[in-house]
C-alpha cells in the first residue's frame, strides 16, 4: 500500500483511503516489523446500539474482531445495559470491561475500538464529560485511563439523533490518547465538515472508507487495522 501524507481537510469530500491529521504529517501505513512486535496490543471492542443484545458478539463486531486478531488479542465481552440514554451506566459497564481485560492482558497496551454508541461511550469514559442527560459520570481511575493507548471510533455519532446537534465536548476534552475516526459516506450521524480535528488537544486522524464504516469492506478493514498499528507505534 502506498504511503499517504496528511493534509488539512479540504472543502470537497475526502476521497477513499485518505488519512488526515491535525496540522501535521501522519504516516498511516504499517511498518515492516509491525507484526513482529514483542508486545501485542489488546483490543477492547464496544458495540453500537443496534447490536444489542448480542453486544460485541454481533456479526458486524466479529468481522472487526477477526481483522484485529491479525495484530493482537481481542476482548469482545462487553454488552451495554439498557436503557442507552443513561451515560453513567454505560460508562460504568465500559470501564468494568476494560478493567477485566487489563487484568488478563497485564502490561499490554490497550486500544479501545468502538462502533457507533460504543465509540461515544469510550470518549465519555476517557474525558469524564457528562452525556446528553447532563448527569455526572462515575469516577474512572487515572490508572485505568493510562492503560488506554489509543481509541478507534467507527461510525462515530457526532450528530445527536433528532436534533442533529453537534456533540463535540468529549472530543475536545481528550488530551492524551490519539484518536482515529473511521467514517464513510453512509454514516448517518456523522458530518465530516463539523468534525473538529484541528481543534482537538490530542492527535486526531481520520480514515475514509466506501459506504458505511460499520460494515466496511474486507480491504478497508485490513487497511484500517494497519493504520491503528502504525498510529500506536
Amino acid at each position: 500500500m502506498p504511503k499517504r501524507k496528511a493534509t488539512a481537510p479540504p472543502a470537497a469530500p475526502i476521497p477513499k483511503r485518505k488519512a488526515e491529521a491535525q496540522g501535521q504529517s501522519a504516516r498511516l501505513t504499517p511498518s515492516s516489523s509491525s507484526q513482529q512486535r514483542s508486545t501485542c496490543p489488546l483490543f477492547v471492542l464496544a458495540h453500537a446500539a443496534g447490536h444489542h443484545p448480542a453486544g460485541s458478539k454481533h456479526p458486524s463486531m466479529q468481522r472487526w474482531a477477526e481483522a484485529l486478531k491479525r495484530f493482537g488479542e481481542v476482548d469482545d465481552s462487553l454488552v451495554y445495559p439498557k436503557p442507552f440514554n443513561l451515560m453513567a451506566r454505560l460508562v460504568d459497564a465500559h470501564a468494568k470491561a476494560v478493567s477485566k481485560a487489563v487484568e488478563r492482558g497485564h502490561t499490554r497496551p490497550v486500544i479501545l475500538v468502538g462502533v457507533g454508541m460504543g465509540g461515544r461511550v469510550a470518549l465519555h469514559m476517557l474525558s469524564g464529560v457528562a452525556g446528553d442527560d447532563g448527569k455526572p459520570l462515575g469516577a474512572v481511575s487515572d490508572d485505568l485511563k493510562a492503560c488506554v493507548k489509543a481509541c478507534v471510533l467507527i461510525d462515530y455519532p457526532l450528530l445527536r439523533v433528532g436534533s442533529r446537534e453537534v456533540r463535540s465536548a468529549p472530543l475536545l476534552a481528550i488530551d492524551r490518547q490519539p484518536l482515529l475516526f473511521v467514517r464513510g459516506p453512509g454514516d448517518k450521524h456523522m458530518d465530516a465538515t463539523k468534525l473538529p480535528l484541528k481543534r482537538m488537544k490530542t492527535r486526531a486522524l481520520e480514515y475514509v472508507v466506501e459506504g458505511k464504516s460499520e460494515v466496511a469492506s474486507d480491504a478497508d478493514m485490513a487497511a484500517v487495522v494497519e493504520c491503528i498499528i502504525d498510529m500506536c507505534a
Side-chain angles (χ1 to χ4, degrees):
M1 179 184 296
K3 297 178 181 179
R4 301 177 185 271
K5 291 187 177 180
T7 59
I14 302 172
K16 180 186 177 186
R17 297 189 182 180
K18 184 174 183 181
E20 300 175 65
Q22 50 174 46
Q24 59 180 318
S25 294
R27 183 170 58 86
L28 295 182
T29 52
S31 62
S32 59
S33 61
S34 63
Q35 297 187 44
Q36 301 176 354
R37 292 189 178 94
S38 59
T39 304
C40 295
L42 173 60
F43 298 102
V44 179
L45 302 187
H47 64 90
H51 295 157
H52 195 274
S56 295
K57 300 289 187 183
H58 187 277
S60 293
M61 298 298 297
Q62 286 303 298
R63 285 190 65 228
W64 282 104
E66 288 303 313
L68 293 164
K69 285 176 182 177
R70 291 175 52 205
F71 294 100
E73 183 180 348
V74 173
D75 184 288
D76 58 5
S77 62
L78 176 60
V79 179
Y80 288 119
K82 282 193 169 184
F84 295 150
N85 61 343
L86 300 179
M87 183 57 70
R89 291 186 62 192
L90 301 180
V91 165
D92 182 61
H94 204 141
K96 287 179 179 177
V98 174
S99 180
K100 290 180 180 179
V102 168
E103 289 176 2
R104 291 194 296 271
H106 303 291
T107 59
R108 288 187 178 187
V110 174
I111 300 176
L112 305 184
V113 180
V115 176
M117 176 184 70
R120 182 166 169 257
V121 176
L123 289 193
H124 280 276
M125 180 185 72
L126 293 175
S127 67
V129 173
D132 293 338
D133 58 8
K135 296 181 180 180
L137 307 179
V140 177
S141 73
D142 290 338
D143 288 343
L144 184 63
K145 293 179 182 179
C147 291
V148 178
K149 303 306 179 186
C151 193
V152 181
L153 309 161
I154 303 165
D155 192 8
Y156 186 79
L158 180 66
L159 307 179
R160 187 173 183 177
V161 177
S163 68
R164 306 293 285 178
E165 170 193 357
V166 178
R167 301 182 292 193
S168 59
L171 281 66
L172 299 176
I174 300 291
D175 59 5
R176 179 183 298 173
Q177 297 86 358
L179 308 178
L180 173 62
F181 292 88
V182 180
R183 64 176 181 83
D187 297 349
K188 296 181 179 179
H189 304 298
M190 167 58 73
D191 183 341
T193 66
K194 297 179 180 178
L195 185 62
L197 294 177
K198 289 188 175 182
R199 295 166 53 201
M200 294 183 195
K201 300 174 184 176
T202 189
R203 186 184 184 204
L205 313 171
E206 65 174 352
Y207 187 95
V208 181
V209 304
E210 290 184 345
K212 186 172 172 58
S213 58
E214 175 192 334
V215 289
S217 68
D218 290 344
D220 272 332
M221 279 190 173
V224 167
V225 174
E226 291 171 349
C227 290
I228 295 170
I229 298 301
D230 197 68
M231 177 178 70
C232 300

